[in-house]
Amino acid sequence: MLLTPRTEAQRPVPGAPRPRPRTRRRLKAPALLAVVLSSCLLAASAPAEPLGVGDRLFPYLGNPGYDVASYDLSFTYPGTNTKPLKAVTTINAWATTDLERFNLDFAHGKVESVEVDGEPASFRSAGEDLVVTPEESLPEGSWMQITVRHTSDPKYGESRDGGWVRTADGLAMANQADAAHVVFPCNDHPSDKAMFTIRVTAPNGYTAVANGLQADVDRSGKATTWTYRTRHPMATELAQVSIGRSTVLHRTGPHGLPVRDVVPTKDREQLEPWLKKTPGQIAWMERKVGRYPFETYGLLMAEAATGFELETQTLSLFERELFTESAFPKWYIESIMVHELAHQWFGDSVSPRTWSDLWLSEGHATWYEALYAAEKAGRPMEARMKAAYAASDRWRAAGGPPAAPKAGDPGKKNGIFRPNVYDGASLVLYALRQEIGAPAFERLERAWVSRHQDGAATTADFVALAEEISGRHLEGFLHAWLYGEKTPPMPGQPEWKSVDPDKTPAKKAAGKKAAGGKAAGKKAAGKKAAGRKVAGNKATVKKAIAKSVTVKTVTVTNTIAK
């Protein structure tokens, strides 16, 4: 089941004393003994098992029974990215039902102890869940604090996508879609957003940066502790921690917005021409959809071969190589920067309620990526959408319709990041704009990010808002575009055709040309970075969709962003 939505009345004020649980009726000794024996028998007959919140694509992700208000994460970095970090995770949450025990998502670390409201609790693993049994049951509506002391191991086997990313000089995070729980215990589903405090202790000479704004720096002896806090709720998949021999560069964005970038110290001069573009890109996005939704923004340039870029909240993760290798056209790199920036509104501030709603994040980010390339670099939106339309039936056959994506292949859970939720989803937005007109579409976009700011929303929410803003009955129109096996006719473009997925595609001459000229063509054909972006995982597909290049007058999409 889905978690109970929070209301302002339910959410406690950070730092306020926790309300006392309901008083429990005292039982006489014989009755108490009978209850204890009954509970023991019940516990013995109900083995610990992994739970989930009912997500179609990730059935064991998230957990029922409670609603997280805040996380306090504390990591101690040992000075090498090959050894586990010592960690303490503190979770403040409401019980949304009576709880004898509850599950946290957590795998890959060693748990040393668990406390609930300051008292030791028993625990055991079940699948990728940590099952916790407190000394006393928790009644519905009670406020609980869970403290887990554990390790956080940055070394994974090849079957694991995401989590800690080992960089040349430290660590970064890439938790999308289901990897936050290999870093810290959590309710690892975007429907349960929470406030974060993140503390990182590292040897002197390292710099640590995390989501939100810096709240404190404490230098003591041979180590330094940095503390960061978010001012807006965040999904676990968007958490970011950078530890490295880095420099933090500061500048100012629109309305005095603090912009900070984290770069390898040795590369700061080479990267500065790209970084200084961010304030202007934020201003461009604000003209499209309204005020930037968070307290800060910036780019984290990781010296690592991730094969993707990632919209971690307030601090987007990028491969340094994207900016230091000249094979990529400038307009393309800038459009990818805008893709991750657009996610701050679409995907971060307004999160998908379920992973089937992913198209709302990736489709919108791809839309603004393409619109920026159209306005700033003369890459026609219509040409890109026509090319996407031609491929759309193939994408739907391979990955499912945009709002009903197929699950990833076994061992490739991040295989949900396919072209159908990138250019395939932006094609849905193009069709909607064609149907209701540009003015109504632009009002819809602004209303969407305003009405659902700091929350999580569904495809049904988007359809309802589109009908409200346009004054049209759109359920049938959008259902065909979002859930149909075949791509519907494009309004105003009856001549557009989609290639039959059952027919063998023409020889991939266009694919060879699809890298924006000779240099990008070479890149797509075999350079190291493009080689990383193959093989049907999250990195591949995300990178394979956003890359938009023009062959004569036809835009071919090869996406490359998350």
Side-chain angles (χ1 to χ4, degrees), residues 273-327:
W274 297 105
L275 299 173
K276 69 181 183 181
K277 297 177 184 293
T278 298
Q281 292 171 343
I282 296 172
W284 183 86
M285 277 297 302
E286 288 192 337
R287 290 194 293 271
K288 301 300 180 187
V289 295
R291 191 80 170 245
Y292 178 74
F294 298 123
E295 63 272 22
T296 185
Y297 186 63
L299 277 61
L300 165 58
M301 300 291 198
E303 192 171 355
T306 61
F308 56 82
E309 328 307 325
L310 183 62
E311 65 275 12
T312 40
Q313 190 164 308
T314 75
L315 186 61
S316 292
L317 174 67
F318 286 85
E319 294 171 293
R320 182 202 60 168
E321 187 179 273
L322 175 66
F323 301 88
T324 57
E325 289 197 3
S326 59

Short mmCIF file of all heavy atoms in Angstrom, two decimals, residues 273-327:
data_model
loop_
_atom_site.label_atom_id
_atom_site.label_comp_id
_atom_site.label_asym_id
_atom_site.label_seq_id
_atom_site.Cartn_x
_atom_site.Cartn_y
_atom_site.Cartn_z
N PRO A 273 34.49 27.99 -17.31
CA PRO A 273 33.63 28.50 -18.40
C PRO A 273 32.28 27.82 -18.47
O PRO A 273 31.30 28.44 -18.91
CB PRO A 273 34.47 28.21 -19.66
CG PRO A 273 35.89 28.18 -19.17
CD PRO A 273 35.82 27.57 -17.81
N TRP A 274 32.19 26.56 -18.05
CA TRP A 274 30.90 25.87 -18.04
C TRP A 274 30.09 26.25 -16.80
O TRP A 274 28.88 26.49 -16.89
CB TRP A 274 31.12 24.35 -18.06
CG TRP A 274 31.80 23.87 -19.30
CD1 TRP A 274 33.09 23.47 -19.42
CD2 TRP A 274 31.22 23.77 -20.60
NE1 TRP A 274 33.37 23.11 -20.71
CE2 TRP A 274 32.24 23.28 -21.46
CE3 TRP A 274 29.96 24.04 -21.12
CZ2 TRP A 274 32.02 23.06 -22.81
CZ3 TRP A 274 29.73 23.82 -22.47
CH2 TRP A 274 30.75 23.33 -23.30
N LEU A 275 30.75 26.29 -15.67
CA LEU A 275 30.05 26.54 -14.42
C LEU A 275 29.39 27.92 -14.38
O LEU A 275 28.31 28.09 -13.81
CB LEU A 275 31.02 26.40 -13.25
CG LEU A 275 31.67 25.02 -13.09
CD1 LEU A 275 32.73 25.05 -12.01
CD2 LEU A 275 30.62 23.96 -12.78
N LYS A 276 30.02 28.89 -14.99
CA LYS A 276 29.46 30.25 -14.94
C LYS A 276 28.18 30.39 -15.76
O LYS A 276 27.50 31.42 -15.68
CB LYS A 276 30.51 31.27 -15.39
CG LYS A 276 30.87 31.20 -16.86
CD LYS A 276 31.94 32.24 -17.19
CE LYS A 276 32.29 32.26 -18.67
NZ LYS A 276 33.35 33.26 -18.96
N LYS A 277 27.83 29.36 -16.53
CA LYS A 277 26.58 29.39 -17.30
C LYS A 277 25.35 29.10 -16.43
O LYS A 277 24.22 29.41 -16.82
CB LYS A 277 26.64 28.37 -18.44
CG LYS A 277 27.71 28.64 -19.48
CD LYS A 277 27.75 27.53 -20.53
CE LYS A 277 28.89 27.75 -21.52
NZ LYS A 277 28.67 28.94 -22.36
N THR A 278 25.56 28.50 -15.26
CA THR A 278 24.43 28.04 -14.46
C THR A 278 23.45 29.15 -14.06
O THR A 278 22.23 28.96 -14.19
CB THR A 278 24.94 27.30 -13.21
OG1 THR A 278 25.67 26.14 -13.63
CG2 THR A 278 23.78 26.85 -12.32
N PRO A 279 23.89 30.30 -13.56
CA PRO A 279 22.91 31.33 -13.20
C PRO A 279 21.99 31.72 -14.36
O PRO A 279 20.78 31.90 -14.16
CB PRO A 279 23.78 32.50 -12.74
CG PRO A 279 25.02 31.85 -12.22
CD PRO A 279 25.26 30.71 -13.16
N GLY A 280 22.53 31.85 -15.56
CA GLY A 280 21.71 32.18 -16.71
C GLY A 280 20.74 31.07 -17.06
O GLY A 280 19.60 31.33 -17.48
N GLN A 281 21.15 29.82 -16.88
CA GLN A 281 20.26 28.69 -17.14
C GLN A 281 19.12 28.64 -16.12
O GLN A 281 17.98 28.33 -16.47
CB GLN A 281 21.05 27.39 -17.15
CG GLN A 281 22.02 27.29 -18.32
CD GLN A 281 22.97 26.11 -18.21
OE1 GLN A 281 23.14 25.53 -17.13
NE2 GLN A 281 23.60 25.75 -19.32
N ILE A 282 19.42 28.96 -14.87
CA ILE A 282 18.37 29.02 -13.86
C ILE A 282 17.36 30.11 -14.22
O ILE A 282 16.14 29.90 -14.14
CB ILE A 282 18.97 29.28 -12.46
CG1 ILE A 282 19.85 28.10 -12.03
CG2 ILE A 282 17.85 29.51 -11.43
CD1 ILE A 282 20.62 28.36 -10.74
N ALA A 283 17.86 31.27 -14.64
CA ALA A 283 16.97 32.36 -15.03
C ALA A 283 16.09 31.96 -16.21
O ALA A 283 14.90 32.29 -16.27
CB ALA A 283 17.79 33.61 -15.37
N TRP A 284 16.66 31.21 -17.17
CA TRP A 284 15.88 30.74 -18.32
C TRP A 284 14.76 29.81 -17.86
O TRP A 284 13.61 29.94 -18.30
CB TRP A 284 16.81 30.02 -19.29
CG TRP A 284 16.14 29.55 -20.55
CD1 TRP A 284 15.93 30.25 -21.70
CD2 TRP A 284 15.58 28.23 -20.78
NE1 TRP A 284 15.28 29.47 -22.62
CE2 TRP A 284 15.05 28.24 -22.10
CE3 TRP A 284 15.47 27.08 -20.02
CZ2 TRP A 284 14.44 27.12 -22.65
CZ3 TRP A 284 14.86 25.96 -20.56
CH2 TRP A 284 14.34 25.99 -21.87
N MET A 285 15.08 28.87 -16.98
CA MET A 285 14.05 27.95 -16.47
C MET A 285 12.98 28.70 -15.68
O MET A 285 11.78 28.38 -15.77
CB MET A 285 14.66 26.87 -15.59
CG MET A 285 15.26 25.68 -16.33
SD MET A 285 14.06 24.72 -17.28
CE MET A 285 12.88 24.24 -16.02
N GLU A 286 13.37 29.70 -14.91
CA GLU A 286 12.39 30.47 -14.14
C GLU A 286 11.41 31.19 -15.06
O GLU A 286 10.22 31.34 -14.72
CB GLU A 286 13.09 31.46 -13.22
CG GLU A 286 13.79 30.82 -12.04
CD GLU A 286 14.23 31.82 -10.99
OE1 GLU A 286 14.41 33.01 -11.33
OE2 GLU A 286 14.40 31.42 -9.82
N ARG A 287 11.89 31.64 -16.22
CA ARG A 287 10.97 32.29 -17.16
C ARG A 287 9.97 31.29 -17.73
O ARG A 287 8.87 31.67 -18.14
CB ARG A 287 11.78 32.94 -18.30
CG ARG A 287 12.57 34.16 -17.86
CD ARG A 287 13.08 34.97 -19.04
NE ARG A 287 14.09 34.25 -19.83
CZ ARG A 287 15.39 34.29 -19.57
NH1 ARG A 287 15.86 34.99 -18.53
NH2 ARG A 287 16.24 33.63 -20.33
N LYS A 288 10.33 30.03 -17.74
CA LYS A 288 9.43 29.00 -18.28
C LYS A 288 8.42 28.49 -17.26
O LYS A 288 7.24 28.30 -17.57
CB LYS A 288 10.24 27.81 -18.81
CG LYS A 288 11.25 28.16 -19.91
CD LYS A 288 10.57 28.78 -21.12
CE LYS A 288 11.60 29.12 -22.20
NZ LYS A 288 10.97 29.87 -23.32
N VAL A 289 8.89 28.23 -16.02
CA VAL A 289 8.01 27.53 -15.07
C VAL A 289 7.91 28.18 -13.70
O VAL A 289 7.19 27.68 -12.84
CB VAL A 289 8.46 26.06 -14.90
CG1 VAL A 289 8.29 25.29 -16.19
CG2 VAL A 289 9.89 25.94 -14.40
N GLY A 290 8.62 29.28 -13.47
CA GLY A 290 8.51 29.94 -12.18
C GLY A 290 9.75 29.78 -11.32
O GLY A 290 10.74 29.18 -11.71
N ARG A 291 9.69 30.34 -10.14
CA ARG A 291 10.83 30.49 -9.24
C ARG A 291 11.50 29.14 -8.94
O ARG A 291 10.82 28.11 -8.75
CB ARG A 291 10.33 31.10 -7.93
CG ARG A 291 11.43 31.57 -6.97
CD ARG A 291 11.99 32.90 -7.37
NE ARG A 291 12.86 33.44 -6.34
CZ ARG A 291 12.60 34.54 -5.65
NH1 ARG A 291 11.50 35.24 -5.89
NH2 ARG A 291 13.45 34.98 -4.74
N TYR A 292 12.83 29.16 -8.91
CA TYR A 292 13.60 27.96 -8.54
C TYR A 292 13.12 27.48 -7.17
O TYR A 292 12.96 28.27 -6.24
CB TYR A 292 15.08 28.30 -8.52
CG TYR A 292 15.96 27.16 -8.09
CD1 TYR A 292 16.21 26.08 -8.94
CD2 TYR A 292 16.53 27.12 -6.81
CE1 TYR A 292 17.01 25.02 -8.54
CE2 TYR A 292 17.32 26.07 -6.41
CZ TYR A 292 17.56 25.02 -7.28
OH TYR A 292 18.33 23.96 -6.87
N PRO A 293 12.90 26.16 -7.00
CA PRO A 293 12.17 25.68 -5.81
C PRO A 293 13.00 25.43 -4.56
O PRO A 293 12.41 25.12 -3.51
CB PRO A 293 11.56 24.37 -6.31
CG PRO A 293 12.51 23.86 -7.34
CD PRO A 293 13.05 25.10 -8.02
N PHE A 294 14.33 25.55 -4.62
CA PHE A 294 15.14 25.17 -3.47
C PHE A 294 16.03 26.30 -2.98
O PHE A 294 16.04 27.39 -3.54
CB PHE A 294 15.99 23.94 -3.80
CG PHE A 294 15.17 22.72 -4.14
CD1 PHE A 294 15.33 22.07 -5.35
CD2 PHE A 294 14.23 22.22 -3.24
CE1 PHE A 294 14.58 20.95 -5.67
CE2 PHE A 294 13.47 21.10 -3.55
CZ PHE A 294 13.65 20.46 -4.77
N GLU A 295 16.81 25.99 -1.93
CA GLU A 295 17.61 26.99 -1.24
C GLU A 295 18.97 27.24 -1.88
O GLU A 295 19.63 28.23 -1.59
CB GLU A 295 17.81 26.58 0.22
CG GLU A 295 18.58 25.27 0.43
CD GLU A 295 17.71 24.02 0.44
OE1 GLU A 295 16.59 24.06 -0.12
OE2 GLU A 295 18.16 23.00 0.99
N THR A 296 19.41 26.33 -2.74
CA THR A 296 20.70 26.48 -3.41
C THR A 296 20.73 25.55 -4.62
O THR A 296 19.85 24.70 -4.79
CB THR A 296 21.87 26.15 -2.45
OG1 THR A 296 23.13 26.42 -3.09
CG2 THR A 296 21.85 24.68 -2.03
N TYR A 297 21.74 25.72 -5.46
CA TYR A 297 21.96 24.79 -6.58
C TYR A 297 23.44 24.78 -6.90
O TYR A 297 24.22 25.66 -6.48
CB TYR A 297 21.16 25.19 -7.82
CG TYR A 297 21.27 24.17 -8.94
CD1 TYR A 297 20.80 22.87 -8.75
CD2 TYR A 297 21.90 24.47 -10.16
CE1 TYR A 297 20.91 21.91 -9.75
CE2 TYR A 297 22.02 23.51 -11.15
CZ TYR A 297 21.53 22.24 -10.95
OH TYR A 297 21.66 21.27 -11.93
N GLY A 298 23.83 23.78 -7.66
CA GLY A 298 25.20 23.71 -8.11
C GLY A 298 25.48 22.38 -8.78
O GLY A 298 24.64 21.47 -8.81
N LEU A 299 26.68 22.27 -9.34
CA LEU A 299 27.12 21.06 -10.04
C LEU A 299 28.23 20.39 -9.26
O LEU A 299 29.14 21.06 -8.76
CB LEU A 299 27.62 21.40 -11.45
CG LEU A 299 26.59 21.55 -12.56
CD1 LEU A 299 25.60 22.67 -12.25
CD2 LEU A 299 27.28 21.82 -13.90
N LEU A 300 28.15 19.08 -9.15
CA LEU A 300 29.21 18.26 -8.57
C LEU A 300 29.91 17.56 -9.72
O LEU A 300 29.32 16.71 -10.38
CB LEU A 300 28.62 17.26 -7.59
CG LEU A 300 29.52 16.09 -7.15
CD1 LEU A 300 30.80 16.60 -6.52
CD2 LEU A 300 28.76 15.16 -6.19
N MET A 301 31.15 17.95 -9.97
CA MET A 301 31.94 17.37 -11.06
C MET A 301 32.75 16.20 -10.51
O MET A 301 33.75 16.40 -9.82
CB MET A 301 32.88 18.42 -11.65
CG MET A 301 32.16 19.62 -12.22
SD MET A 301 31.23 19.16 -13.70
CE MET A 301 30.97 20.78 -14.44
N ALA A 302 32.31 14.98 -10.82
CA ALA A 302 32.96 13.80 -10.28
C ALA A 302 33.97 13.25 -11.27
O ALA A 302 33.67 13.06 -12.46
CB ALA A 302 31.92 12.74 -9.95
N GLU A 303 35.14 12.96 -10.78
CA GLU A 303 36.16 12.31 -11.60
C GLU A 303 35.92 10.80 -11.50
O GLU A 303 36.59 10.07 -10.78
CB GLU A 303 37.56 12.67 -11.13
CG GLU A 303 38.65 12.27 -12.11
CD GLU A 303 40.02 12.81 -11.75
OE1 GLU A 303 40.12 13.58 -10.77
OE2 GLU A 303 40.99 12.45 -12.44
N ALA A 304 34.88 10.36 -12.26
CA ALA A 304 34.46 8.96 -12.22
C ALA A 304 33.73 8.63 -13.51
O ALA A 304 33.12 9.50 -14.13
CB ALA A 304 33.54 8.72 -11.03
N ALA A 305 33.81 7.36 -13.91
CA ALA A 305 33.13 6.91 -15.13
C ALA A 305 31.78 6.31 -14.76
O ALA A 305 31.60 5.10 -14.70
CB ALA A 305 34.00 5.87 -15.85
N THR A 306 30.80 7.18 -14.49
CA THR A 306 29.47 6.70 -14.12
C THR A 306 28.66 6.28 -15.33
O THR A 306 27.83 5.39 -15.26
CB THR A 306 28.70 7.79 -13.37
OG1 THR A 306 28.55 8.92 -14.23
CG2 THR A 306 29.43 8.21 -12.10
N GLY A 307 28.85 6.95 -16.45
CA GLY A 307 28.02 6.71 -17.62
C GLY A 307 26.71 7.47 -17.59
O GLY A 307 25.85 7.25 -18.43
N PHE A 308 26.52 8.37 -16.63
CA PHE A 308 25.27 9.14 -16.57
C PHE A 308 25.50 10.42 -15.76
O PHE A 308 26.50 10.58 -15.08
CB PHE A 308 24.14 8.32 -15.94
CG PHE A 308 24.46 7.77 -14.57
CD1 PHE A 308 24.32 8.55 -13.44
CD2 PHE A 308 24.91 6.47 -14.41
CE1 PHE A 308 24.62 8.06 -12.17
CE2 PHE A 308 25.20 5.96 -13.16
CZ PHE A 308 25.06 6.76 -12.02
N GLU A 309 24.50 11.31 -15.86
CA GLU A 309 24.43 12.49 -15.02
C GLU A 309 23.18 12.31 -14.15
O GLU A 309 22.24 11.63 -14.55
CB GLU A 309 24.33 13.78 -15.85
CG GLU A 309 25.05 13.75 -17.18
CD GLU A 309 26.52 13.34 -17.11
OE1 GLU A 309 27.20 13.68 -16.12
OE2 GLU A 309 26.96 12.64 -18.04
N LEU A 310 23.14 12.94 -12.99
CA LEU A 310 22.04 12.65 -12.06
C LEU A 310 21.62 13.91 -11.29
O LEU A 310 22.45 14.66 -10.79
CB LEU A 310 22.48 11.57 -11.06
CG LEU A 310 21.43 11.09 -10.07
CD1 LEU A 310 20.25 10.46 -10.79
CD2 LEU A 310 22.05 10.09 -9.10
N GLU A 311 20.28 14.06 -11.19
CA GLU A 311 19.68 15.27 -10.63
C GLU A 311 19.57 15.25 -9.11
O GLU A 311 18.52 15.59 -8.54
CB GLU A 311 18.29 15.47 -11.24
CG GLU A 311 17.25 14.40 -10.90
CD GLU A 311 17.26 13.18 -11.80
OE1 GLU A 311 18.22 13.00 -12.56
OE2 GLU A 311 16.29 12.40 -11.74
N THR A 312 20.62 14.88 -8.38
CA THR A 312 20.53 14.88 -6.93
C THR A 312 20.18 16.28 -6.43
O THR A 312 20.71 17.28 -6.91
CB THR A 312 21.84 14.37 -6.31
OG1 THR A 312 22.96 14.89 -7.04
CG2 THR A 312 21.89 12.86 -6.39
N GLN A 313 19.26 16.36 -5.48
CA GLN A 313 18.59 17.62 -5.12
C GLN A 313 19.57 18.69 -4.66
O GLN A 313 20.35 18.47 -3.74
CB GLN A 313 17.55 17.34 -4.04
CG GLN A 313 16.62 18.51 -3.75
CD GLN A 313 15.41 18.07 -2.97
OE1 GLN A 313 14.71 17.14 -3.36
NE2 GLN A 313 15.13 18.72 -1.85
N THR A 314 19.53 19.81 -5.30
CA THR A 314 20.35 21.02 -5.08
C THR A 314 21.80 20.85 -5.52
O THR A 314 22.54 21.84 -5.54
CB THR A 314 20.33 21.52 -3.61
OG1 THR A 314 21.14 20.67 -2.77
CG2 THR A 314 18.91 21.63 -3.07
N LEU A 315 22.23 19.64 -5.89
CA LEU A 315 23.63 19.42 -6.27
C LEU A 315 23.69 18.29 -7.29
O LEU A 315 23.86 17.13 -6.95
CB LEU A 315 24.47 19.07 -5.03
CG LEU A 315 25.98 18.94 -5.22
CD1 LEU A 315 26.58 20.26 -5.69
CD2 LEU A 315 26.66 18.49 -3.93
N SER A 316 23.53 18.65 -8.57
CA SER A 316 23.47 17.63 -9.63
C SER A 316 24.84 17.01 -9.88
O SER A 316 25.85 17.72 -9.94
CB SER A 316 22.93 18.25 -10.92
OG SER A 316 21.58 18.60 -10.80
N LEU A 317 24.84 15.70 -10.06
CA LEU A 317 26.07 14.95 -10.29
C LEU A 317 26.38 14.88 -11.79
O LEU A 317 25.53 14.47 -12.59
CB LEU A 317 25.91 13.53 -9.73
CG LEU A 317 27.05 12.54 -10.00
CD1 LEU A 317 28.32 12.96 -9.27
CD2 LEU A 317 26.62 11.13 -9.57
N PHE A 318 27.59 15.26 -12.16
CA PHE A 318 28.06 15.19 -13.55
C PHE A 318 29.41 14.50 -13.61
O PHE A 318 30.22 14.63 -12.69
CB PHE A 318 28.22 16.59 -14.15
CG PHE A 318 26.93 17.28 -14.49
CD1 PHE A 318 26.25 18.00 -13.53
CD2 PHE A 318 26.40 17.22 -15.77
CE1 PHE A 318 25.06 18.65 -13.84
CE2 PHE A 318 25.23 17.85 -16.10
CZ PHE A 318 24.54 18.58 -15.12
N GLU A 319 29.65 13.80 -14.70
CA GLU A 319 30.99 13.31 -14.98
C GLU A 319 31.86 14.49 -15.43
O GLU A 319 31.49 15.23 -16.34
CB GLU A 319 30.97 12.29 -16.10
CG GLU A 319 30.25 11.01 -15.80
CD GLU A 319 30.11 10.17 -17.05
OE1 GLU A 319 29.38 10.57 -17.97
OE2 GLU A 319 30.76 9.12 -17.12
N ARG A 320 32.99 14.64 -14.83
CA ARG A 320 33.91 15.70 -15.25
C ARG A 320 34.24 15.59 -16.73
O ARG A 320 34.35 16.59 -17.45
CB ARG A 320 35.19 15.60 -14.42
CG ARG A 320 36.22 16.68 -14.72
CD ARG A 320 37.60 16.25 -14.31
NE ARG A 320 38.02 15.04 -15.02
CZ ARG A 320 39.26 14.58 -15.03
NH1 ARG A 320 40.21 15.21 -14.37
NH2 ARG A 320 39.56 13.48 -15.69
N GLU A 321 34.35 14.35 -17.21
CA GLU A 321 34.76 14.10 -18.59
C GLU A 321 33.81 14.70 -19.62
O GLU A 321 34.21 15.06 -20.72
CB GLU A 321 34.85 12.58 -18.78
CG GLU A 321 35.41 12.14 -20.10
CD GLU A 321 35.46 10.61 -20.18
OE1 GLU A 321 36.45 10.04 -19.72
OE2 GLU A 321 34.48 10.03 -20.67
N LEU A 322 32.54 14.83 -19.27
CA LEU A 322 31.58 15.43 -20.18
C LEU A 322 32.01 16.83 -20.59
O LEU A 322 31.77 17.27 -21.72
CB LEU A 322 30.20 15.48 -19.52
CG LEU A 322 29.08 16.17 -20.29
CD1 LEU A 322 28.73 15.40 -21.56
CD2 LEU A 322 27.84 16.33 -19.41
N PHE A 323 32.67 17.55 -19.68
CA PHE A 323 33.06 18.93 -19.91
C PHE A 323 34.50 19.08 -20.39
O PHE A 323 34.86 20.10 -20.97
CB PHE A 323 32.88 19.74 -18.62
CG PHE A 323 31.47 19.73 -18.13
CD1 PHE A 323 31.02 18.73 -17.27
CD2 PHE A 323 30.57 20.72 -18.52
CE1 PHE A 323 29.71 18.72 -16.83
CE2 PHE A 323 29.27 20.71 -18.07
CZ PHE A 323 28.83 19.71 -17.23
N THR A 324 35.32 18.08 -20.14
CA THR A 324 36.74 18.21 -20.47
C THR A 324 37.11 17.56 -21.79
O THR A 324 38.22 17.76 -22.28
CB THR A 324 37.61 17.62 -19.34
OG1 THR A 324 37.25 16.25 -19.14
CG2 THR A 324 37.43 18.39 -18.06
N GLU A 325 36.19 16.76 -22.37
CA GLU A 325 36.46 16.16 -23.68
C GLU A 325 35.77 16.98 -24.76
O GLU A 325 34.55 17.17 -24.72
CB GLU A 325 35.96 14.72 -23.72
CG GLU A 325 36.80 13.80 -22.87
CD GLU A 325 36.59 12.34 -23.23
OE1 GLU A 325 35.82 12.06 -24.18
OE2 GLU A 325 37.19 11.49 -22.57
N SER A 326 36.51 17.45 -25.73
CA SER A 326 35.99 18.39 -26.72
C SER A 326 35.10 17.75 -27.78
O SER A 326 34.55 18.44 -28.62
CB SER A 326 37.16 19.10 -27.41
OG SER A 326 38.00 18.15 -28.05
N ALA A 327 34.96 16.41 -27.76
CA ALA A 327 34.17 15.75 -28.81
C ALA A 327 32.69 16.13 -28.75
O ALA A 327 31.99 16.05 -29.75
CB ALA A 327 34.32 14.24 -28.71
#
